[in-house]
């Protein structure tokens, strides 16, 4: 009976110091009795207390040290003292080893049985050090690799075959099981927590590399070295989830998975490619609950006002241009969401459909059976739409049908792959579209890129590097004495950046620009004319100029803008 009493003493001590109320203490004790977990863990999990409040008091009360694990580096020799399956089972992390004594970070100091079992299993003395439970879990993943304990147990017993999954599987259900299912679930949950947009599973001769793309940058995921032995089992599991043919390993395959992680539903787009070392998998993570709001995209007020006027027009085309991964689809969906209403018929044709939009009819092209953009567009016009979106104008036939749709009373949105806004004109002309059709149908070309945002947690002012006036076309007097950079912290993975925003280049087709299009002027001449305000439209700013505005307000850095523009 001594152990519950000591836990109760901790709660009374926290209440006496005013850190928790008597009511919250009672709630936490009831939860602790229900789950059997350490009282401090229950208090933190219920949001009653923070780890940084609990640990110092608990350490002082028990007379043992505490530690923050986020920045601790542990040598491979020390890590080898505790196998991954023991670290996960006892929720502990080895810190140092000296004179046959292993210092171990633990979350529950009252779990004497766990410490005794570790001593017996490891054959050495164990000295506990207090650490937060979530920091221990993160350290296990960081140092041993994602799913290390599951991989170790799978290799001991052999991988288990997985059954087909429901339409929206809960990935947290088997998170602790020793199976390939558990490993894949942990991999996806880790990607969501890291805000990753893609997971890349890449086989090589004697290793399996897993990477995540976060804020447009690839990061390698720590995984156990023996994971390569489970490569085919992992690919098969993902194929089963995406309803793909697990027996077909020679041809590319594409599929989708709908999963649930805690309260969030995700659509995962899966692409499998055969390589000389086996199949490589890319998983694109798309949130089903993502909100598309034009005001949240980073568009400056003058350009946003101009865009809102343009999308209210009854007919015409708005082209968004940029390379793959520059956020074009998000901009288009935001426009459609703004216009979506019960009295408006909206149709889209895409490849692929990235997000399901309620109230909008979305079509997926299937070139293998002849359902192309051009074929779909002809059929869409028979459904009497008010607004249409064409995922991409890739060929002259699609371009011509899209433009003629705009000329016959439809508002159309689409994308082009060009480096800048003015390049959209020459791209259409190169496709064989007549200049008068471009001038009379297109409302605006919008070029965009994504840049990383400076981390708010570690933002600091620094003197700017030399050469900025020449790079951004501003005078030396316009360069401030300090600009904002991210120092690097655990919240931003030591990068100094967290999240992304867009920089834009708006080219509205005003009457002077139309005259240049009809004369087949160069894109440089068109861009020069667009930089003059005309017909109530703001002057065009280049991508770098728009990026410079975001640099001045501390949202991003010169290096980020110069990298993409």
């Amino acid at each position: 009976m001594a152990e519950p009493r000591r836990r109760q003493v901790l709660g009374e001590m926290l209440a006496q110091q005013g850190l928790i109320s008597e009511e919250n203490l009672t709630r936490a004790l009831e939860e602790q009795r229900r789950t059997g977990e350490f009282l401090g863990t229950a208090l933190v999990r219920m949001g009653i207390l923070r780890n940084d409040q609990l640990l110092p008091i608990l350490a002082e009360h028990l007379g043992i040290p505490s530690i923050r694990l986020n920045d601790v580096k542990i040598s491979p020799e020390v890590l080898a003292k505790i196998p991954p399956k023991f670290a996960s089972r006892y929720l502990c992390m080895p810190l140092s080893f000296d004179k046959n004594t292993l210092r171990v970070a633990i979350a529950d100091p009252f779990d004497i049985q766990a410490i005794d079992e570790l001593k017996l299993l490891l054959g050495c003395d164990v000295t506990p050090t207090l650490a937060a439970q979530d920091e221990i879990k993160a350290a296990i993943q960081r140092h041993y690799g994602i799913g290390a304990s599951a991989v170790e147990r799978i290799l001991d017993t052999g991988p288990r075959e997985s059954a087909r999954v429901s339409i929206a599987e809960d990935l947290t259900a088997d998170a602790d099981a020793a199976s390939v299912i558990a490993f894949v679930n942990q991999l996806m949950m880790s990607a969501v927590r890291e805000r990753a947009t893609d997971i890349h599973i890449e086989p090589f001769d004697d290793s399996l590399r897993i990477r995540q793309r976060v804020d447009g940058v690839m990061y390698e995921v720590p995984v156990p070295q023996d994971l390569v032995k489970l490569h085919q089992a992992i690919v098969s599991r993902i194929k089963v989830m995406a309803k793909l043919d697990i027996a077909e390993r020679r041809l590319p395959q594409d599929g989708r998975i709908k999963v649930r992680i805690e309260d969030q539903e995700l659509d995962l787009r899966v692409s499998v490619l055969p390589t000389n070392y086996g199949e490589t998998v890319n998983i694109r993570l798309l949130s089903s609950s993502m909100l598309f709001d034009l005001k949240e995209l980073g568009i400056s007020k003058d350009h946003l006002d101009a865009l809102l006027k343009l999308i209210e027009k009854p007919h015409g085309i708005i082209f968004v241009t940029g390379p793959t991964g520059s956020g074009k689809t998000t901009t288009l969906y935001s426009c459609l969401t703004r216009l979506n209403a019960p009295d408006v018929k909206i149709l889209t044709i895409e490849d692929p459909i990235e997000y399901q939009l309620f109230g909008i009819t979305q079509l997926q092209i299937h070139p293998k059976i002849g359902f192309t953009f051009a074929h779909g567009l002809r059929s869409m016009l028979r459904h009497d739409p008010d607004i249409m979106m064409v995922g991409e104008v890739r060929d002259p036939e699609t371009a011509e049908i899209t433009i003629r749709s705009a000329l016959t009373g439809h508002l159309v949105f689409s994308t082009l792959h060009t480096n800048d806004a003015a390049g959209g004109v020459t791209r259409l002309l190169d496709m064989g579209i007549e200049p008068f059709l471009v001038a009379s149908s297109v409302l605006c070309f919008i070029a965009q890129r994504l840049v990383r945002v400076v981390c708010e947690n570690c933002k600091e002012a620094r003197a700017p590097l030399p050469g900025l006036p020449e790079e951004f076309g501003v005078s030396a007097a316009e360069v401030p004495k300090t600009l904002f950079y991210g120092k690097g912290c655990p919240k931003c993975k030591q990068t100094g950046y967290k999240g992304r925003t867009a920089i834009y280049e708006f080219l509205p087709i005003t009457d002077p620009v139309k005259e240049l299009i009809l004369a087949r002027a160069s894109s440089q001449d068109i861009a020069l004319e667009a930089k003059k305000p005309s017909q109530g439209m703001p002057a065009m700013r280049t991508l770098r100029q728009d990026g410079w505005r975001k640099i001045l307000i501390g949202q991003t850095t010169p290096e980020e803008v110069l990298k993409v523009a």
Side-chain angles (χ1 to χ4, degrees), residues 296-310:
E296 302 294 326
L297 298 182
I299 307 175
S300 58
K301 187 179 184 308
D302 56 345
H303 283 159
L304 178 60
D305 292 341
L307 179 60
L308 292 176
K309 289 180 182 178
L310 291 174

Side-chain angles (χ1 to χ4, degrees), residues 367-379:
K368 289 183 180 179
I369 60 174
F371 187 51
T372 62
F373 277 115
H375 184 269
L377 272 169
R378 293 191 186 95
S379 300

